[in-house]
Structures are given as C-alpha cells and as structure tokens.
Amino acid sequence: MHNMCIRPTPEELENFGTPDFTIYNAGQFPCNRYTHYMTSSTSIDMNLDRREMVILGTQYAGEMKKGLFSLMHYLMPKRGILSLHSGCNIGKGGDVALFFGLSGTGKTTLSTDHNRYLIGDDEHCWSENGVSNIEGGCYAKCIDLSREKEPDIWNAIKFGTVLENVVFDEHYREVDYTDKSVTENTRAAYPIEYIPNAKIPCVGPHPKNVILLACDAFGVLPPVSKLNLAQTMYHFISGYTALVAGTEDGIKEPTATFSACFGAAFIMLHPTKYAAMLAEKMKKHGATGWLVNTGWSGGSYGSGSRIKLAYTRKIIDAIHSGTLLKANYTTAEVFGLEIPTEIEGVPSEILNPENTWSDKKAYKDTLLKLGGLFKKNFEVFTNYKIGADNKLMEEIVAAGPNF
Ligand SMILES: Nc1ncnc2c1ncn2[C@@H]1O[C@H](COP(=O)(O)OP(=O)(O)O)[C@@H](O)[C@H]1O
Ligand SMILES: C=C(OP(=O)(O)O)C(=O)O
C-alpha cells in the first residue's frame, strides 16, 4: 500500500494529525462463514460512519486499494467530483486521455506509453480543475510480462517494487513471469515515479479523449469505433467486457459480463448518477468518446485470437494524434458503431470484424447474440432519467443495438 498510495513528504507527515480512514487487514484470518449472509470466508466490510474498513480472509493487496476506491466513489460525487475507474495519460501537447475498462482490458498497459506522460493506471477523479490520480503507484499484472511488449513496466520492476504471487528461483532471485502456479493474477506494485515519464504530481487538464476499453470474447466488436455522446453513455453504463482468466477467481475462459460504469463492484450510487456527471463533463469540455476492443478478432474465443497489442497501440496513437478523428468512417449494423476505414500501422481488413470471420453466418449470429445480451442488460436502466429532462436517456437507449 505504501507503493500504491500518494506518499506524504516528511513535512506533511509532521502535521498529519489523525488518519481520515483506517484499514484493518487481517490477512488470511477468515471471516465467520456462519454469520448471516456470509457466503465466503473472505469479506471486505466498510463503515462509512466510523471511517473503517475490515478485510478478512484474503492476502490480495488489491482489496485495500479497491476498497478505498469504493470510498472515493461515495465521497467524491458529494463534492461534484467524478470518480473514474480509468487509466490516464497526457501527451506532450497537453492532451489528456482516459482509459476506462474492467480488469484485464488494458488500462495499465495502454496508459503506460513511452510517448506520453503517465498520470495513473487505475483510479482517477475529474473535477472542475481537471483530472487527478487517487493513487501514487501502479499495480501492474505481470503474468507473461515481457521486456519487448511492455518495456516500461518491465523496467519499473526493481528494488522497492513489491512483486505479489510470482514464482521465483530463491537462489538466483530470477522471476518466472510465465508461472501461474500460485495464481494468474500476479502483480507488481511500484511507485509511479518508477515509470520514467510519469507526470508528477499526477494531475492534468480536462480530458480530450475518453476511451472505453472492452475485451470482447465474442470477437464481433470492431477494434475501434468513434462514439457520439449518447453511444459513449450507453457503453459506459453497460460496462461490457469478457472477464479473462486473471483477477477474478474461478474464471478459466473468457466470460461475457456487464459491470455498470466499468466498476459495479466499486460504485456506491446509482450508475446513472456517474453517467450524468460524465455526460455533463464530456459535453462541457468537448471530449470525444471511443470504444476500443482489446479482445478477440477473426472469431470468438476458441476460434479467433486476441487482437495484437501492437495494433491496439497503433489505434491508440491515432486517437491521441487526432488523425483518427479525421478518418473516413462506415457505420456497422446492429450496434450502429462508426468504424474507420484506415489506420496507419493496422491492417485495414481487421477494422471491420465481419471481414475477419470466415463463417459469415456465424459472425451475424454472434453479433445478434451479443446485441441481445446488451439489450437485456440495459432493461433495468431505461426508466431512469439523466439530466433535467428525459431527452438524453431516450437518446442513450436509442444508441444501443438496433435489430
Ligand atoms: N490488444 C491488447 N490490448 C491491451 N492489452 C492486451 C492486448 N492483448 C493482450 N493484452 C494483455 O492484456 C492484459 C491487460 O491487462 P492490464 O493492462 O493490466 O488491464 P487493466 O489495467 O485494465 O486491469 C496485459 O497483460 C496485456 O499484455
Ligand atoms: C486491482 C484490480 O484492478 P485491475 O485488475 O484493473 O488492475 C482488481 O480488480 O483487483
């Protein structure tokens, strides 16, 4: 946690006073499964009034940072500040990008970019003054980590970094990043300044691009689509992804899931409250929304393959540089997504997923199946209002799949 939190200076510590919030972490000591409603030996309990959190039955460090993140999802909106489950970076020209996404969709990987300054990889706030990181460190997944594909994360693993659940040779102290015998969810927790181009303090102006990451295991969402405001809200509230083997226990193969605001586990208010704040801020500051599929192409999980990280990076580069905004687009059926026809460094044929499937009928069936899942998931939101009248919510519902 020391690595992950914003570390106070000695002067700040001198006048620290009493803590605002206390975490009691009992590590492996389990909770009592005979307690009413307790379904597991692991529990994370929070008392907002007493400002305390109790963690029982888990040694996963992520529970502490994500527990505090839930707290921020309660405290920040009360002050008119939007809490974001997103990575964030800033270009040399001052353009800020947010990377929303569930675990494993690429927030850490894509916000850590050698050509840009890192503001943070996971938890941010968007206030009247711009964006700021809640944390002071990163928590990178390191399963199958390679120097070639993720050089900045690789180089951040040095003295002072805490490696969690990795397997290493005790004599030579060499880590085997491919070893999944403890868990797939191996982690490296390092202070953000271990990334050479981190922006310290971790703050920036209002975002120019809002990138929604989805790891689509069905392989039918385009690698990138440009979204209008209603589509951005529709996909933000839906929070679709495939959970891949990794952070959550028991996931052996990609499983479609919807997690409102890309963070159902952390939000404390109704999802439409956060969506309304995001819509208002994006509109006010002229931010563009994008949907980036970091999941499958050429077929669903099992027949297709995961989109190459190198291609996703080129897509993200084109968003940052502004060239993608000026590209030519076609509109795809069912989801009505705007797909660019060309991106430098990315084979044009993969931009429209239909081209990558050899079995066109299977593609159409899968597309309709996913569209149906989106519709069903969204049913519970259609009766809510966003903003003063119901106009935006009507536009948002209409921005979903249409068939
Ligand atoms: N096309 C892709 N885009 C992004 N990440 C990818 C891609 N293909 C494979 N990956 C891998 O998926 C994982 C994404 O995890 P991470 O960036 O930690 O996600 P998050 O921070 O959203 O939890 C990394 O291990 C990364 O190497
Ligand atoms: C730490 C977590 O977030 P992420 O996997 O997105 O890094 C988590 O969900 O446990």
Side-chain angles (χ1 to χ4, degrees):
M1 268 311 263
H2 181 77
N3 279 359
M4 237 107 80
C5 290
I6 299 172
R7 288 156 295 282
T9 59
E11 297 77 51
E12 283 167 337
L13 268 182
E14 227 163 75
N15 302 312
F16 183 70
T18 49
D20 290 326
F21 201 87
T22 307
I23 303 174
Y24 298 97
N25 189 336
Q28 273 184 325
F29 186 82
C31 64
N32 184 352
R33 293 194 65 171
Y34 295 103
T35 313
H36 212 41
Y37 296 122
M38 204 66 87
T39 54
S40 131
S41 55
T42 300
S43 69
I44 292 92
D45 294 282
M46 194 181 288
N47 187 318
L48 294 170
D49 199 30
R50 290 173 55 136
R51 296 162 178 252
E52 285 173 349
M53 179 160 67
V54 176
I55 300 175
L56 297 173
T58 172
Q59 287 185 297
Y60 178 48
E63 298 299 357
M64 291 184 284
K65 73 167 212 130
K66 280 293 175 22
L68 290 181
F69 191 38
S70 302
L71 178 69
M72 296 304 263
H73 270 93
Y74 178 73
L75 295 177
M76 292 299 109
K78 277 167 148 300
R79 300 182 187 181
I81 299 170
L82 176 61
S83 40
L84 320 159
H85 188 207
S86 76
C88 181
N89 66 20
I90 178 167
K92 298 196 170 111
D95 63 298
V96 166
L98 296 177
F99 299 83
F100 281 100
L102 288 162
S103 188
T105 54
K107 294 183 300 297
T108 303
T109 308
L110 301 170
S111 57
T112 309
D113 180 334
H114 213 65
N115 300 314
R116 296 171 66 82
Y117 303 108
L118 178 67
I119 293 181
D121 75 330
D122 197 37
E123 306 177 4
H124 291 86
C125 284
W126 187 351
S127 75
E128 279 303 302
N129 302 321
V131 287
S132 58
N133 193 346
I134 292 173
E135 303 179 283
C138 300
Y139 196 44
K141 278 183 253 310
C142 39
I143 202 72
D144 295 326
L145 183 71
S146 79
R147 189 198 295 264
E148 296 67 41
K149 285 193 194 148
E150 296 176 65
D152 287 324
I153 296 176
W154 179 278
N155 290 328
I157 301 178
K158 55 185 181 186
F159 184 78
T161 294
V162 177
L163 285 175
E164 190 181 5
N165 287 324
V166 298
V167 175
F168 65 103
D169 181 305
E170 292 195 9
H171 187 65
Y172 295 106
R173 299 189 173 194
E174 212 166 274
V175 180
D176 179 0
Y177 289 109
T178 64
D179 195 320
K180 304 174 179 170
S181 56
V182 178
T183 172
E184 287 252 7
N185 193 19
T186 57
R187 297 278 180 160
Y190 45 85
I192 193 151
E193 54 270 22
Y194 279 22
I195 297 292
N197 50 355
K199 163 115 181 24
I200 304 197
C202 303
V203 295
H206 297 289
K208 181 175 162 200
N209 289 298
V210 171
I211 301 170
L212 309 183
L213 303 171
C215 174
D216 174 29
F218 286 102
V220 293
L221 290 184
V224 60
S225 350
K226 187 173 66 174
L227 305 175
N228 60 32
L229 188 66
Q231 286 174 317
T232 310
M233 289 309 124
Y234 181 85
H235 287 277
F236 177 70
I237 295 170
S238 297
Y240 165 70
T241 199
L243 292 176
V244 284
T247 307
E248 288 194 28
D249 232 4
I251 301 289
K252 298 279 180 263
E253 56 184 53
T255 314
T257 187
F258 294 90
S259 178
C261 309
F262 295 103
F266 321 117
I267 58 177
M268 294 272 206
L269 312 175
H270 193 272
T272 48
K273 297 268 184 244
Y274 302 94
M277 287 178 81
L278 182 63
E280 192 259 322
K281 286 181 187 297
M282 284 184 68
K283 221 158 129 183
K284 184 164 170 194
H285 301 290
T288 308
W290 305 89
L291 181 65
V292 171
N293 173 14
T294 61
W296 271 253
S297 171
S300 300
Y301 170 78
S303 58
S305 53
R306 194 152 177 198
I307 294 167
K308 282 197 174 70
L309 177 54
Y311 293 156
T312 303
R313 285 204 192 278
K314 289 283 179 196
I315 288 168
I316 301 291
D317 287 347
I319 293 176
H320 293 320
S321 72
T323 51
L324 205 52
L325 199 57
K326 298 192 204 111
N328 293 322
Y329 284 86
T330 55
T331 307
E333 53 175 357
V334 179
F335 279 89
L337 294 168
E338 299 273 301
I339 307 180
T341 51
E342 260 178 61
I343 300 175
E344 201 190 312
V346 184
S348 295
E349 62 276 14
I350 74 161
L351 294 175
N352 184 341
E354 187 172 4
N355 299 335
T356 66
W357 285 58
S358 49
D359 183 343
K360 303 293 180 212
K361 181 171 181 313
Y363 166 76
K364 189 72 196 279
D365 291 346
T366 312
L367 181 64
L368 290 172
K369 183 174 171 193
L370 183 62
L373 292 177
F374 265 84
K375 268 182 184 283
K376 187 157 191 329
N377 173 68
F378 214 83
E379 275 166 12
V380 291
F381 299 113
T382 49
N383 291 330
Y384 286 88
K385 240 181 26 187
I386 287 187
D389 55 39
N390 212 24
K391 201 168 151 279
L392 183 56
M393 198 56 182
E394 279 164 19
E395 283 175 28
I396 294 172
V397 176
N402 203 341
F403 55 96

